[in-house]
Amino acid sequence: MLPIRPQTDIIPALMNTLGAASISASISTHFSRNYRPARRLSSLFAAAIFSLSVAAGTAIAQKSPGPATKTTNEGLAPIREYISNGWDTLTRSLSECSNVVDPKLAASQSVLFFPADFAVPPAIEALQKKCSFQIAHLPKKIAIPGELDPGTLHEQGLLYLDHPYVVPGGRFNEMYGWDSYFIIRGLVRDNRVDLARDMVENFFFEIQNYGEVLNANRSYYLSRSQPPFLTSMIYSVYDAQKAAGHEDRAWLEKAYAYAVRDHDMWMREPLLAGDTGLSRYFDLGEGPSPESVKDETGHYRDVAAYFLIHPSPQQNYIVVKDDAKPDAKIFGSAYKMDVCDLAKTMGRPECSPSTTLSLAGDFYKGDRSMRESGFDISFRFGPYGAATHHFAPVCLNSLLYKTERDLEQMSETLGKHQEAEHWKKLAAERQSNIQKYLWDAERGRFFDYNFDTKQRSTYDYITTFYPLWAGLVTPEQARSVVSHVGIFERPGGLLMSPYNTGGQWDAPYVWAPTQLVAVMGMRRYGLNEDADRTAYEFLSNVAENFRRDGTLREKYNAETRSSETAVTAGYHMNIVGFGWTNGAFLDLTHDLPPALVEKLANEQNAPPATAK
């Protein structure tokens, strides 16, 4: 089964709907912006920060049409303009002093880190003279992940990248490992291939200088990666250039070498899932995740309270301070537990001496690994994701199968036939292991596997569609998975899971990236009726909320068809931007039948429904 390839033509089905003037303006802007007589200097610093302030949990505003400029009889043109403008709003490069600031951390002075022995470009030195940030070098070269513990750095900061990139938006003001795939698909749809290629080049820079594709280019992310979409990003760019008559074999050869290194990172300890032949998420750091401390206020305290009331039968996630063992390692904050009589009078109740406790190191390992998975926070891998590192996940191993098939095809294209056979063999082995450990024939769908307990999970999750996207299932399995789509389908798209846990990656929320993966998986196996219906439900949800407030958001409520959220675990915002929603909207709309595109456009001329 061949790897997925993006279509790279401009959206012909949308020409009439979007308006010729809008498309013409977009193409004109693209040519003036991207076809330059000379490539930018490598000193162009791909840093990131939104220039607008973030206050009271609200996020960066886009240069968008906004509610005040919405008009009737324009169909999807206002959304299309919003997305087109959004690429510029969300692109980060060397332009402002504030580019080095991290909204997720409180720091007295921002730090810009360069790789060890990397010469600081003159443009950065000039900027630093007029700005309040510190330039520093990492203390050692990093060849493989884990060679540098970010906890040993005197301060945390931004990691230098060579090229501009698009950020998700809001607090996520750096280039992310898996967000970028969906952003790149949108850029390619919008004929911004040059910027998409810059982003892929930045991932090569990360692998070369920081050891791996990072969660994002901040120093505290040096201990983990994110879901491996690199080969899919490479092919998005390569195929777009090829379709435009500019096939670049030399660039593909360069990309292949970096993609091999990215793949191999997942194939060594401690990222192997026991003896399953599969891989797992595993953050190499310890203790609380730094980015969660500032704007997930009280989260770890809530987790400690939960595990006191609901102790895990497999793992003790609570550590009680023992004065007899003063050298015992304690991670994170300490909490006080009092046991008191229930007050029945105005008198003060009697209490036992307070007990000091903290969350165990194994909980923090699971918490960090959950964040590497991208699904933070969900109860998919146990409450609060605490057991993430004990599972072989459906999503990760589907992505690695797709990577191996892509590397096989790259090898064939480059004339490396012996290497192609190697990748074909690895893909076949992974496919067999996915079928063995992750496929549940009785339930007819895919589940994660706990390789410690030797049990398959029973937690229904939207990642059951990833094997379809990767092309590793039989047609019968594909039909079986899609026959259970009702578990996830709601009026506003496909839920992450049917379980309302308070986590943003569970019910009642629908997210653009997993919606796109699920729909692409259905289409790959010819299940277009289900693909069309579920894609339309999500697109209509997004479009209706755009009519309501003039923005695209990080996530949506699939049940109420609104952007209102009531997240209680982790950060609580629903950020405006938003990179992967922009990209997925373009991609899903592109593949929608013209009649449904027209229906979607006509809905935009009606007043928005009142949010439930």
Side-chain angles (χ1 to χ4, degrees), residues 35 167 209 240 324 332 428 456 525:
Y35 287 85
V167 303
N209 294 282
R456 198 178 288 123
Y525 286 87

Side-chain angles (χ1 to χ4, degrees), residues 535-545 547 561 600 603:
Y536 186 85
E537 288 163 351
F538 174 71
L539 290 167
S540 179
N541 186 1
V542 174
E544 182 176 309
N545 280 276
R547 295 203 307 277
R561 288 176 55 87
L600 185 66
E603 285 183 0

Side-chain angles (χ1 to χ4, degrees), residues 291-306 333 335 359 363-364 367 371 377 384 568-572:
E291 79 278 8
S292 70
V293 174
K294 177 187 174 185
D295 53 1
E296 295 178 20
T297 306
H299 169 62
Y300 289 131
R301 183 183 64 245
D302 292 342
V303 173
Y306 178 92
S333 298
Y335 307 102
L359 288 164
F363 163 76
Y364 286 118
D367 177 75
R371 296 169 192 274
I377 293 169
Y384 294 96
T568 58
Y571 78 91
H572 303 165

Side-chain angles (χ1 to χ4, degrees), residues 187-479:
L187 290 172
V188 167
R189 291 284 183 222
D190 239 355
N191 286 323
R192 302 289 295 273
V193 179
D194 193 61
L195 181 54
R197 177 164 165 160
D198 279 341
M199 293 179 69
V200 177
E201 288 282 351
N202 280 334
F203 286 120
F204 299 163
F205 188 91
E206 286 187 352
I207 293 169
Q208 180 66 33
N209 294 282
Y210 306 128
E212 62 183 322
V213 169
L214 298 173
N215 187 144
N217 59 311
R218 297 283 178 187
S219 59
Y220 48 80
Y221 288 138
L222 284 167
S223 63
R224 67 173 180 259
S225 185
Q226 272 203 323
F229 280 95
L230 181 60
T231 59
S232 297
M233 291 188 266
I234 289 168
Y235 265 120
S236 292
V237 172
Y238 176 76
D239 286 349
Q241 293 177 319
K242 183 178 179 180
H246 305 294
E247 183 178 9
D248 192 341
R249 291 285 189 95
W251 187 77
L252 186 65
E253 178 116 31
K254 171 185 175 181
Y256 172 75
Y258 284 112
V260 169
R261 290 176 61 177
D262 180 57
H263 170 271
D264 290 352
M265 187 272 293
W266 296 98
M267 296 295 291
R268 58 174 173 261
E269 291 291 1
L271 282 91
L272 298 179
D275 59 1
T276 63
L278 299 172
S279 299
R280 64 170 172 171
Y281 295 114
F282 192 88
D283 186 311
L284 297 170
E286 294 183 327
S289 186
E291 79 278 8
S292 70
V293 174
K294 177 187 174 185
D295 53 1
E296 295 178 20
T297 306
H299 169 62
Y300 289 131
R301 183 183 64 245
D302 292 342
V303 173
Y306 178 92
F307 282 119
L308 279 171
I309 300 170
H310 310 92
S312 169
Q314 284 86 32
Q315 177 68 39
N316 185 8
Y317 292 120
I318 297 295
V319 176
V320 177
K321 183 180 179 181
D322 186 349
D323 291 334
K325 300 177 181 178
D327 295 331
K329 194 167 185 179
I330 300 295
F331 294 100
S333 298
Y335 307 102
K336 185 177 75 168
M337 181 180 70
D338 293 327
V339 178
C340 302
D341 293 329
L342 184 65
K344 296 181 179 179
T345 68
M346 296 297 291
R348 186 174 181 177
E350 294 293 325
C351 299
S352 298
S354 295
T355 299
T356 301
L357 54 89
S358 67
L359 288 164
D362 193 64
F363 163 76
Y364 286 118
K365 182 65 70 176
D367 177 75
R368 283 171 164 267
S369 301
M370 172 191 64
R371 296 169 192 274
E372 180 173 68
S373 80
F375 299 114
D376 51 321
I377 293 169
S378 165
F379 279 41
R380 167 191 177 193
F381 299 117
Y384 294 96
T388 300
H389 54 309
H390 298 292
F391 281 86
V394 173
C395 50
L396 173 59
N397 288 285
S398 298
L399 289 169
L400 289 172
Y401 171 85
K402 168 69 160 52
T403 296
E404 288 154 357
R405 293 305 306 271
D406 285 346
L407 289 170
E408 176 192 347
Q409 182 153 332
M410 287 184 198
S411 300
E412 290 287 4
T413 301
L414 297 169
K416 303 174 186 291
H417 304 300
Q418 188 172 353
E419 293 183 33
E421 286 300 314
H422 166 72
W423 295 117
K424 183 177 181 179
K425 180 175 181 289
L426 285 186
E429 290 173 354
R430 189 176 301 276
Q431 182 180 30
S432 176
N433 289 326
I434 289 173
Q435 295 285 359
K436 177 180 179 180
Y437 292 105
L438 309 183
W439 170 248
D440 191 310
E442 183 176 344
R443 288 179 284 176
R445 47 201 187 274
F446 291 89
F447 293 87
D448 306 310
Y449 180 77
N450 188 316
F451 58 86
D452 286 335
T453 64
K454 311 296 183 185
Q455 292 179 323
R456 198 178 288 123
S457 171
T458 61
Y459 203 92
D460 278 301
Y461 211 67
I462 197 171
T463 49
T464 192
F465 292 99
Y466 271 59
L468 280 66
W469 176 86
L472 64 86
V473 306
T474 66
E476 293 75 21
Q477 286 177 318
R479 288 193 293 271

